[in-house]
Amino acid sequence: MTVSPAASLAASELLPLAVACPLTGAALLAVLGRRLPRSGTDALATAWAAGQLGLVWWLAAATGGAGRTVTWVGGWTPVEGRSVGIVLVADGLGLGLAVLVALLVLAALGYAWRYFEEPERARGHGGGFPALLLLFEAGTTGFALTGDLFNAFVFFELMGVAGYALTGYRVEEPRPLQGALAFAVTGSLAGYLALVGVGLLYARTGELAFAGIARELAGQPADALVTTAAALLCCAMLVKAAAVPFHFWLPDAHAEAPTPVCLLLSGVMVELGLYGLLRVYLTVFSGPGGVPHEVMRGTLIAVGTVTALTGALLCWQQRHLKRLLAFSTVGHMGLFLCGAGILDAEATAGTALYVAGHAGVKGALFCLAGVLLDRHASVDEHGLWGRARDMPLVGVLFAVGGCALAGLPPFGTGLGKSVVEHAAHEDPWLVALFVLVPAVTAGAVLRAAARVFGGAGTKPRERHSGAETTGAGEEPEVSGPRREVPRPMLVVPAVLLAGALAVGLVPALWRYVAAGSVVFQDPAGYGAAVTGVPGGGGTGTAPLPEVAWSLPGVLFGLLSTALAAGCAAGALWGPALRGRLARTARAGADALDRTVVLAVRRQHSGHVGDYVAWLLAGLAALTAVFALWG
Amino acid sequence: MSALPYLAAGWMLLVGVHGLVTSRNAVHAVGCLTVVQSGTYVLLLAVGYRRGGTAPYFTDIPAGTPVVDPVAQALTLTDVVVGAALTALLLALVLQTAKRHGTTDPDALTGLRG
């Protein structure tokens, strides 16, 4: 795509609006929300979010996949490569994420159109919910577009604070409060650790822009200070990305947050943690004075593998549907970490498409779980056995979502998976991980769908044993006995699934992501574009990775889906099977359950202190790896 | 530049985190988080400190007077604002928790497990 100079100049001038627009909207809604009627507030919020979507879409088109738009806010342009100003840098992947955020915020607002009934109006907080959503949008968009380390911290906290408030939005309920508290304490501790890292880097280099820090670091070999700062920043981003052992807050928060919020938390917020990690690593630490490539690659793939396996294992064990979906997000985050950890343009492009497809699919599944919550005041897979037979359409959408989660072609999840598998030729075992983990998590979703919507298998036990959260007795988020499911609650998940399908079917998007990934993986070109001082490298030098469906990718996608169906069938009808083989398999599964699974589940204690202790252990391990292996 | 402020910042971080892990009261835990954050203030101010420097306020000092780093001060100020927002939100959550659960002891809040 060629971009005219006028459009690129306009894009550079309008870039700060991408953050300012949702901030203004949030302020406006907070003020006007008390005066306007409910429909007026909803209409204003939706119109504002649509405007924001138009703006970031236009910015993405004007910048182009292979371009960069740089804005020194307030005209504090660098002199001889130095500036004390704040810089926004938008490239293909950053703007792509901003578009994804805008789409999901719009979807969440649409879903919430008839979702929360009036209670906040009575308390005098009309407009609070959409205002918080727009605040969250400002934080995430700013985080995706910033080129300044301290600003990254501020946006990290802004999206964090909005996220905590949204998670605990139903302050009358005990459990959302607990989830929000765990989320807020771990999230803000992570933010402060990042700030310590920022302080250390500023002390060493006197710079805050990513490119400026990288230039100063390049002059000397990495020492303890730089290594510590790198470990602190990586740790903070991994907390946001919910990598094991930093993931404990995620199931508590995602399972208890209001459903429209889950859409955003699972769809983009954790993925933004990974984006921030990669962005900071590539632009700041990937040079000679930072963390060597193979150390970062090994760390990310190791952490990703553990995260993927833990997520899949615990996802399979859940009976609380939203918690099940939350652990599936952990599993997929592990895959994204592995994909991104390969650290080349092709794997980055695959991961980006996987993230986009996953956002659509996971959003749709959360929306459908919200329908169950609305109708039956429960998200307990066991208690709901066969009770949703009267909603075949919801059941079909849920099952389709399950297959898409497994990577069924031509959904975007399948395409992203296939591209990463192709890029993983140096570590062929990753392919097995990319087949197995989606299969297990999707198997859990299909199992739940068959039980809840079809009454398949034997009626599971209802009693509640030891270390688990059942999901029964959740308060419905909609008050009032209204027996029709509101139309938006069905339209939004269908549209989200269609979006995930579009990711796998639109070659223009693949080309955009491929070009964006090449630019993303080019720190020298980034530094030159930001400081105005030409360096080595450049966007024209690297070849575009091939991003398209391949035969092995399609076959692996189909294999995952078949395995998922097999897992679900095994869970549903396995207990009724007779014969020695079936008995041995059941005994094996029970032994595994008693030894490994229960020990892992017990760690998820719901106790904030435990989560913080795990966070510190992870930080210590990360620091040791960077210091000793580097 | 003495090492004392850096040691103090590190100590505050460690003490705060230790308090967070062992806390038996959510209000106390929020306080510990504030201690961690205060550690970051001390670190930032120490980074920007310059011996013999005055406040970076240029209207009534002659040009060329040594001043402490204004950027580090701006960072600290922003950090204070972020911290105020966070602490307020956390305390509000704790207050609601106390109302709904009748306790602020993390050991007694066991609604979410596994």
Side-chain angles (χ1 to χ4, degrees), chain A residues 291-303:
Chain A
V291 178
H293 220 257
E294 65 274 11
V295 174
M296 199 61 194
R297 182 189 160 101
T299 310
L300 281 180
I301 292 182
V303 171

Side-chain angles (χ1 to χ4, degrees), chain A residues 339-413:
Chain A
I342 296 172
L343 287 178
D344 71 9
E346 185 182 13
T348 308
T351 310
L353 287 171
Y354 204 170
V355 165
H358 172 263
V361 173
K362 190 56 64 67
L365 287 170
F366 267 117
C367 289
L368 297 167
V371 175
L372 287 175
L373 187 58
D374 170 40
R375 293 295 296 272
H376 297 286
S378 166
V379 282
D380 181 19
E381 179 186 336
H382 295 184
L384 283 176
W385 184 78
R387 278 174 64 192
R389 283 204 189 96
D390 57 335
M391 296 192 285
L393 179 65
V394 180
V396 168
L397 283 177
F398 208 88
V400 170
C403 294
L405 197 62
L408 178 71
F411 280 98
T413 42

Side-chain angles (χ1 to χ4, degrees), chain A residues 308-567:
Chain A
L309 292 175
T310 313
L313 185 72
L314 288 171
C315 173
W316 182 255
Q317 302 292 326
Q318 300 301 318
R319 54 190 276 198
H320 184 298
L321 285 179
K322 282 168 80 177
R323 216 172 154 82
L324 184 153
L325 293 174
F327 273 115
S328 145
T329 299
V330 175
H332 278 90
M333 260 326 287
L335 298 181
F336 301 155
L337 281 165
C338 289
I342 296 172
L343 287 178
D344 71 9
E346 185 182 13
T348 308
T351 310
L353 287 171
Y354 204 170
V355 165
H358 172 263
V361 173
K362 190 56 64 67
L365 287 170
F366 267 117
C367 289
L368 297 167
V371 175
L372 287 175
L373 187 58
D374 170 40
R375 293 295 296 272
H376 297 286
S378 166
V379 282
D380 181 19
E381 179 186 336
H382 295 184
L384 283 176
W385 184 78
R387 278 174 64 192
R389 283 204 189 96
D390 57 335
M391 296 192 285
L393 179 65
V394 180
V396 168
L397 283 177
F398 208 88
V400 170
C403 294
L405 197 62
L408 178 71
F411 280 98
T413 42
L415 176 64
K417 199 160 89 70
S418 137
V419 174
V420 179
E421 283 160 359
H422 183 260
H425 44 77
E426 277 182 46
D427 306 278
W429 55 272
L430 275 179
V431 176
L433 194 73
F434 272 75
V435 170
L436 193 68
V437 169
V440 173
T441 60
V445 171
L446 290 177
R447 178 195 71 198
R451 276 191 182 144
V452 174
F453 296 99
T458 48
K459 192 165 178 11
R461 74 200 151 85
E462 288 224 25
R463 76 195 154 71
H464 167 208
S465 71
E468 66 180 357
T469 304
T470 63
E474 292 278 340
E475 283 295 318
E477 291 159 353
V478 190
S479 56
R482 196 186 50 238
R483 283 322 349 143
E484 277 291 295
V485 177
R487 192 64 54 78
M489 290 177 73
L490 295 176
V491 172
V492 168
V495 169
L496 285 171
L497 279 178
L501 198 61
V503 173
L505 290 177
V506 180
L509 177 69
W510 310 346
R511 283 194 297 274
Y512 176 87
V513 169
S517 302
V518 172
V519 173
F520 189 73
Q521 290 281 349
D522 174 26
Y526 181 93
V530 172
T531 56
V533 179
T539 51
T541 52
L544 273 191
E546 195 189 339
V547 176
W549 288 99
S550 62
L551 184 62
V554 171
L555 291 179
F556 281 129
L558 290 173
L559 176 64
S560 279
T561 317
L563 277 176
C567 286

Side-chain angles (χ1 to χ4, degrees), chain B:
Chain B
M1 182 73 213
S2 94
L4 196 61
Y6 295 99
L7 289 177
W11 177 249
M12 288 167 85
L13 282 175
L14 289 178
V15 167
V17 169
H18 174 262
L20 266 180
V21 174
T22 56
S23 176
R24 296 295 307 273
N25 183 319
V27 178
H28 171 257
V30 175
C32 291
L33 201 61
T34 317
V35 173
V36 173
Q37 199 193 10
S38 306
T40 64
Y41 304 155
V42 175
L43 176 79
L44 286 174
L45 290 177
V47 165
Y49 181 74
R50 190 166 164 201
R51 192 171 289 277
T54 178
Y57 187 70
F58 294 98
T59 49
D60 53 357
I61 54 173
T65 315
V67 294
V68 298
D69 185 351
V71 174
Q73 302 213 334
L75 302 189
T76 314
L77 203 60
T78 315
D79 190 12
V80 170
V81 175
V82 168
L86 259 175
T87 311
L89 179 67
L90 276 166
L91 286 176
L93 286 173
V94 172
L95 206 64
Q96 279 293 331
T97 311
K99 279 190 196 158
R100 301 295 155 204
H101 290 271
T103 176
T104 52
D105 183 354
D107 293 343
L109 299 174
T110 53
L112 305 170
R113 334 175 132 247

